[in-house]
Amino acid sequence: MTIHEAIAMADSLRDNSMPTNVKIGWLRNVDQTIYEELIRGREGEGEVTYPNYGEEDLDKELLVPPPYDMLYVYRLEAEVCYAYGETKKQANALIRYNELISSYAAKYIREHRQVDTARAVYY
């Protein structure tokens, strides 16, 4: 899913007037967190570019592939609902987001071994 696709899909679920650059920032934050907490230090890290998106990057692919990529839409929906004070809708969107991010993280951890970056020395 591209940045543009995630934003368009989220906007179709919840009419809002949030600026695109704010939504890009939310998506960037999600991908940077995924990179730092899940990808860094695992096999294949070198194949992934650190996500640092801007307004010129609407056609860039986000890190998480299908079928887990709807997590971006749910996270955008949650952020918009939070901004508008719609806490029940925000909670529902976060539940869906958390389900997908947890499933994706479990799959990623199963498929990408932790890289041994430090060796213990015993005397």
Side-chain angles (χ1 to χ4, degrees), residues 31-40 42 105 109 114:
D31 269 358
Q32 287 176 346
T33 301
I34 289 169
Y35 185 89
E36 292 294 335
E37 295 187 12
L38 188 61
I39 296 172
R40 179 167 283 182
R42 296 199 168 272
I109 289 168
Q114 185 76 34

Side-chain angles (χ1 to χ4, degrees), residues 40-93:
R40 179 167 283 182
R42 296 199 168 272
E43 288 179 339
E45 174 188 351
E47 300 166 15
V48 180
T49 304
Y50 186 80
N52 194 15
Y53 314 128
E55 289 188 66
E56 67 282 354
D57 298 317
L58 290 174
D59 292 326
K60 279 198 175 178
E61 288 287 326
L62 295 160
L63 290 180
V64 177
Y68 308 98
D69 58 348
M70 280 297 292
L71 68 88
Y72 295 110
V73 176
Y74 297 138
R75 184 56 183 266
L76 287 175
E77 181 183 9
E79 295 291 354
V80 168
C81 289
Y82 177 79
Y84 287 108
E86 297 175 338
T87 55
K88 287 183 182 181
K89 290 180 181 180
Q90 177 203 17
N92 288 334

Side-chain angles (χ1 to χ4, degrees), residues 1-35:
M1 177 176 296
T2 66
I3 293 169
H4 173 74
E5 290 169 337
I7 291 171
M9 197 173 295
D11 286 350
S12 72
L13 295 174
R14 173 64 170 86
D15 190 29
N16 66 86
S17 61
M18 299 301 291
T20 298
N21 66 324
V22 171
K23 294 172 192 170
I24 292 169
W26 289 333
L27 292 171
R28 181 178 54 243
N29 182 267
V30 170
D31 269 358
Q32 287 176 346
T33 301
I34 289 169
Y35 185 89

Side-chain angles (χ1 to χ4, degrees), residues 78-111:
E79 295 291 354
V80 168
C81 289
Y82 177 79
Y84 287 108
E86 297 175 338
T87 55
K88 287 183 182 181
K89 290 180 181 180
Q90 177 203 17
N92 288 334
L94 284 175
I95 288 168
R96 294 181 299 201
Y97 168 80
N98 286 329
E99 289 170 350
L100 283 174
I101 193 71
S102 295
S103 294
Y104 176 69
K107 177 186 182 295
Y108 194 88
I109 289 168
R110 279 192 311 271
E111 295 177 355

